[in-house]
Amino acid sequence: MALLEALLVTLLFGTQASFTHPGILMPTVESTGDTELKNVVKQTQRSREARETLGNSQRVWQVMMETLRAGNEQLSANKHHLLPKVWDLAILARNILAAKEKAQNHAAVEGFEAEIRRLLSICIDKASKPIPPTLDKPSHDKELQMKGGYKKVLITSLQFLNNLMTGNETRKLHLWLHLFGTPSSVNANIGPSAGKSESKNKPKAASTPSLPSSTPLSSSGNCGFVNPAGNTAASHMETAAKCNSLSAGFNAKYYRPGFLTEVPRLLQPDEIEPLLMILQSGVVNFEGADDSMQAVRCKLLLAQGYGRALLREVLVFLGAWEVDEDDFCYRVLGQVVEAILLNGLIPYAYECFRDEKDIVTPAQSVLLKLLVSVYRPQTALPSPVQVDWPEGTLQEGGAPAVFSAHSPTIPRDFRTYGYLNPPVIENSIPTFFINVFRKQVLSPVIKIIQLQGDIRSGIQAKEVFEHSLWDLDRIYEGIYQFLELFVLFSEDEQAKEVLTGSIGGVEHGLVLDLVRLLGELDKAIPRYIASKAGKVSELGKKETKPSENSYMVERPFDIASIEAETPDDEYEEDEDDQDHDRELVEPDEFTWPNIKRFIVILLSSLAWHNKGIQNVVRENGGLHVVINQCKIDDDNPYIREHSILCIRALLQDNKENQMIVEELNARETVPSEVLDKSGYEPYIDERGRVRLKRTDKSGS
């Protein structure tokens, strides 16, 4: 293997010469050198001994740094034809980092890691540059191919950084400071006012960022979470001393914090994995990781503006691509959110992503969705340790896997990580989100719904509705995720007490808000039935104006129920075709699907065996509104069944509520084509019940 090291150094000198002195090598010699370099790269794929021999050689890293530096100069000068040579260097470096700590330290000390960061900046700049629209097709295709090449090098460089920091606390901290900035003093006591301004401190030379020994790691307002690093002054001072020690020798060359912020906009879900793994490796408490340092990096991520910006972009990326919950990207980012939760920073993170122009921003919506996944019990999650991992590609002790040439991305069979048990729902979390929902979300959403109702009833003109369908989709996604999170909270006994107002200092909890929102939806948004869309929507408009003390209760022969449930051939459609056949609506006709159903489910859960909540619902008109949901609505699947269960919960051992239902009578019947064809007509008997009788067709 000593000959392999000498061979590689010789080949690198040739590659370097082709960068610095183009044309100095004969074409055949240059081609032979490129071929042999590729053979060495392939050898590092197959042989652990080759990886360790080259990775542990300081001389190899020094020559690789000089070669990559020359290559970066050429790429900066738009010598795009040299990109394949640079890519080979990045692949080789990524492979030999599997030799672990010694190779990682050599890569950093010799400056190769700094050149990779410079290469990343070049790739991001070239890949994000727009293609001029005036180019002809051959030139346009050439530009696309060139941008694709830079994206490949970008992905490999991210894999290199992931391998560089895996299992190495010094490299993790140094890379973190390069990614998110080097504050003059790292204050881990993050509060609502901390981290609001972007860090602009750039060291003039190699510097040693320090963390004051007096700075506590746990926030005084930590939302009830226990700091994983411990709460004693001794542990704080120990962690601060460790930070100062690890930050020694920080290389400020090519210091450009925030340079990865644009990466999520350039890549696809299967390409962004190494970036997410970098975040995962820095903050998630894997077995064998330094928990106190993981906590420090988690707080640094949110304390620095560059960290918040990258996390925001990643969250928006996840939502824009509609990544499935079983996807590797979703699971890894879920672990990052769990780490933020365990460090007591979820409320702070949510507020960081707030934008005055949005009721709920896309980043906030995805954060809520990930939080639901974190709290939801997970079954049969595999351990991060995989015994069948290809040789030399897995760190010991359950740390994140490194990228190897065996698989540029992680094999699909080994893509699930996660904690076996979900974290406990601390009371501060539902309390925070209830307050946010009431103060920031509920009122503007209700105003929109009320305006929809006014337009539908003719009180207002369509032109006054300023929101587009795109705006409503963003708002809808936010309120949907809030209600889904509240449904999850209602399944936990202690969190449920916060929702009902028993604890947490919020009178009646969320109940009054839910009743109010359901009432506005019931008045303004008609129900939708796919098989009778036109006719039922007309009925829906009439149903929004019931007479005084009259409520639309679905009786055994309710007209809408019969028309919706009759298995008539003319109404039979393939279920998959119904959604496609539904016409696109105007913004003011947006129907807020599933929101009514979520509210009914929540009220049902909160009112169960809780007479106080039952009374609150009745006193605020909620009982009648829930009864009015006992009808089929394809925008709210199974809402009739959920409403029946909710009514049961509201009437249970509550005489006042039971009397309200007993006093309800049918007021009128509506003609039905289905009944007319069958020779029946509905009528109301002396007891207020709806019945059927045969019609005398002979006289017609």
Side-chain angles (χ1 to χ4, degrees):
M1 285 298 171
L3 292 177
L4 179 63
E5 178 182 344
L7 173 62
L8 177 59
V9 170
T10 303
L11 294 172
L12 290 174
F13 280 139
T15 304
Q16 185 177 344
S18 66
F19 289 149
T20 57
H21 300 82
I24 194 173
L25 298 177
M26 295 177 60
T28 55
V29 174
E30 185 174 353
S31 177
T32 301
D34 292 342
T35 301
E36 290 301 321
L37 182 59
K38 291 182 184 294
N39 290 335
V40 173
V41 172
K42 291 178 181 178
Q43 192 168 354
T44 60
Q45 297 176 4
R46 298 188 296 264
S47 170
R48 170 182 289 184
E49 185 179 1
R51 292 193 293 272
E52 292 180 349
T53 298
L54 299 179
N56 294 334
S57 171
Q58 184 178 2
R59 174 63 172 160
V60 166
W61 284 108
Q62 183 180 7
V63 178
M64 286 179 63
M65 181 276 296
E66 295 170 352
T67 307
L68 183 57
R69 180 173 59 192
N72 285 341
E73 294 290 343
Q74 297 303 308
L75 294 182
S76 298
N78 295 325
K79 302 293 180 63
H80 307 310
H81 65 282
L82 297 174
L83 189 61
K85 295 177 182 288
V86 175
W87 192 20
D88 285 339
L89 284 173
I91 294 173
L92 176 63
R94 179 201 68 190
N95 292 352
I96 64 178
L97 276 181
K100 301 181 184 177
E101 188 171 1
K102 189 173 181 180
Q104 293 166 335
N105 292 336
H106 281 323
V109 172
E110 297 302 325
F112 189 87
E113 173 262 344
E115 293 297 335
I116 283 287
R117 284 188 280 103
R118 183 186 179 194
L119 176 60
L120 269 169
S121 298
I122 294 171
C123 291
I124 293 170
D125 180 62
K126 303 297 184 184
S128 59
K129 186 177 180 180
I131 300 177
T134 57
L135 292 180
D136 55 22
K137 190 177 187 307
S139 300
H140 184 273
D141 293 343
K142 185 177 180 180
E143 285 289 318
L144 281 179
Q145 185 178 6
M146 183 268 293
K147 290 166 71 74
Y150 276 105
K151 283 177 61 176
K152 291 178 181 178
V153 178
L154 186 154
I155 295 168
T156 304
S157 300
L158 290 174
Q159 294 170 352
F160 171 89
L161 292 182
N162 177 73
N163 289 5
L164 178 76
M165 65 186 293
T166 301
N168 190 317
E169 290 297 329
T170 301
R171 304 279 74 86
K172 281 184 183 181
L173 184 58
H174 286 200
L175 181 59
W176 223 247
L177 298 176
H178 272 293
L179 294 180
F180 309 126
T182 55
S184 56
S185 62
V186 182
N187 187 355
N189 185 17
I190 301 174
S193 61
K196 295 274 184 179
S197 60
E198 307 270 335
S199 174
K200 298 182 179 179
N201 300 327
K202 294 190 177 182
K204 299 178 181 178
S207 59
T208 304
S210 61
L211 185 143
S213 60
S214 60
T215 300
L217 279 177
S218 62
S219 170
S220 58
N222 67 345
C223 304
F225 290 95
V226 178
N227 192 313
N231 290 314
T232 65
S235 67
H236 297 327
M237 296 184 66
E238 180 182 350
T239 303
K242 189 183 300 182
C243 288
N244 293 333
S245 174
L246 292 174
S247 62
F250 176 75
N251 183 5
K253 190 174 183 180
Y254 305 131
Y255 176 78
R256 187 188 166 190
F259 67 96
L260 293 185
T261 305
E262 298 294 322
V263 169
R265 303 181 185 181
L266 302 175
L267 303 180
Q268 298 180 14
D270 59 339
E271 298 171 334
I272 202 174
E273 294 169 358
L275 176 60
L276 300 182
M277 290 184 67
I278 289 172
L279 297 178
Q280 177 198 43
S281 181
V283 302
V284 176
N285 293 333
F286 288 103
E287 181 182 352
D290 188 324
D291 292 353
S292 61
M293 290 306 302
Q294 300 292 87
V296 167
R297 281 185 290 271
C298 183
K299 295 175 181 180
L300 276 173
L301 176 67
L302 288 171
Q304 298 294 89
Y306 296 115
R308 297 193 299 272
L310 178 60
L311 188 57
R312 179 188 295 109
E313 289 295 327
V314 171
L315 290 170
V316 172
F317 172 92
L318 209 67
W321 282 94
E322 298 181 352
V323 177
D324 189 79
E325 293 187 14
D326 293 329
D327 190 89
F328 174 76
C329 294
Y330 190 96
R331 300 296 294 275
V332 170
L333 197 54
Q335 282 196 320
V336 173
V337 169
E338 184 166 6
I340 295 172
L341 174 69
L342 295 175
N343 281 283
L345 296 174
I346 281 292
Y348 176 75
Y350 183 88
E351 289 298 318
C352 284
F353 301 141
R354 186 180 177 186
D355 190 331
E356 295 297 333
K357 297 180 294 184
D358 287 312
I359 298 175
V360 182
T361 65
Q364 289 175 322
S365 296
V366 178
L367 182 66
L368 293 172
K369 184 177 181 180
L370 288 167
L371 193 59
V372 170
S373 299
V374 168
Y375 278 130
R376 182 176 292 132
Q378 303 289 335
T379 58
L381 288 175
S383 167
V385 180
Q386 303 290 349
V387 295
D388 295 330
W389 196 270
E391 181 186 36
T393 62
L394 180 67
Q395 296 292 320
E396 297 177 356
V402 298
F403 288 94
S404 79
H406 287 279
S407 177
T409 56
I410 294 183
R412 296 287 171 184
D413 294 340
F414 304 97
R415 287 193 171 200
T416 46
Y417 294 86
Y419 294 93
L420 294 178
N421 298 311
V424 175
I425 302 177
E426 300 288 343
N427 292 340
S428 55
I429 294 299
T431 300
F432 169 78
F433 283 113
I434 287 174
N435 288 326
V436 169
F437 183 76
R438 303 179 92 179
K439 296 177 181 178
Q440 300 177 14
V441 179
L442 186 64
S443 294
V445 169
I446 286 180
K447 287 181 181 178
I448 294 173
I449 295 171
Q450 288 174 337
L451 181 57
Q452 287 181 272
D454 290 344
I455 293 173
R456 187 169 277 108
S457 60
I459 299 176
Q460 296 281 359
K462 283 179 174 286
E463 290 72 22
V464 302
F465 198 82
E466 299 178 349
H467 297 279
S468 65
L469 280 174
W470 186 73
D471 295 330
L472 293 174
D473 278 336
R474 288 158 64 101
I475 298 170
Y476 167 73
E477 185 65 26
I479 193 170
Y480 182 98
Q481 298 303 336
F482 261 106
L483 292 177
E484 187 176 27
L485 183 64
F486 292 149
V487 168
L488 185 142
F489 287 157
S490 71
E491 298 169 1
D492 180 90
E493 288 302 321
Q494 194 169 12
K496 184 177 178 179
E497 293 183 5
V498 178
L499 295 181
T500 59
S502 300
I503 57 177
V506 182
E507 186 179 3
H508 302 312
L510 198 62
V511 178
L512 290 178
D513 304 309
L514 295 175
V515 170
R516 181 186 174 197
L517 180 57
L518 183 61
E520 296 296 341
L521 286 167
D522 185 58
K523 288 188 294 183
I525 309 299
R527 61 196 179 105
Y528 169 76
I529 298 179
S531 61
K532 295 287 291 180
K535 295 183 179 180
V536 175
S537 62
E538 292 294 327
L539 291 172
K541 293 180 182 179
K542 298 177 182 178
E543 292 169 4
T544 58
K545 300 179 181 179
S547 59
E548 186 177 359
N549 297 324
S550 173
Y551 303 96
M552 299 300 295
V553 183
E554 183 165 326
R555 298 296 183 176
F557 300 106
D558 180 89
I559 172 65
S561 174
I562 293 176
E563 293 187 348
E565 296 181 0
T566 301
D568 197 335
D569 293 338
E570 64 177 307
Y571 300 133
E572 287 186 353
E573 293 182 359
D574 183 74
E575 185 175 349
D576 294 334
D577 294 336
Q578 293 176 9
D579 291 336
H580 297 294
D581 292 342
R582 187 174 184 182
E583 295 180 0
L584 294 175
V585 297
E586 293 293 326
D588 60 276
E589 297 174 357
F590 191 79
T591 57
W592 306 91
N594 293 299
I595 301 302
K596 292 179 183 177
R597 179 170 63 93
F598 271 137
I599 297 174
V600 170
I601 291 173
L602 272 169
L603 290 176
S604 180
S605 176
L606 300 181
W608 183 253
H609 290 299
N610 191 323
K611 191 169 184 178
I613 297 301
Q614 295 169 355
N615 292 336
V616 169
V617 172
R618 181 192 71 249
E619 293 165 1
N620 290 274
L623 181 57
H624 298 119
V625 178
V626 172
I627 291 173
N628 211 28
Q629 307 311 308
C630 294
K631 295 172 287 188
I632 292 175
D633 184 352
D634 286 334
D635 276 330
N636 295 271
Y638 301 105
I639 190 172
R640 181 173 65 173
E641 289 75 13
H642 288 301
S643 298
I644 291 171
L645 292 175
C646 186
I647 293 171
R648 178 190 177 192
L650 290 170
L651 301 186
Q652 187 180 42
D653 300 326
N654 192 310
K655 295 294 184 182
E656 294 84 353
N657 287 1
Q658 293 171 9
M659 289 176 61
I660 294 289
V661 175
E662 289 176 358
E663 293 172 358
L664 294 177
N665 289 315
R667 302 296 183 182
E668 62 178 341
T669 61
V670 182
S672 168
E673 291 183 11
V674 176
L675 293 179
D676 289 343
K677 291 178 180 179
S678 302
Y680 290 92
E681 68 177 5
Y683 72 98
I684 302 173
D685 65 12
E686 64 278 0
R687 299 177 61 185
R689 295 181 179 179
V690 179
R691 297 187 178 278
L692 290 179
K693 65 180 180 180
R694 277 197 170 274
T695 57
D696 185 7
K697 292 188 177 182
S698 60
S700 58

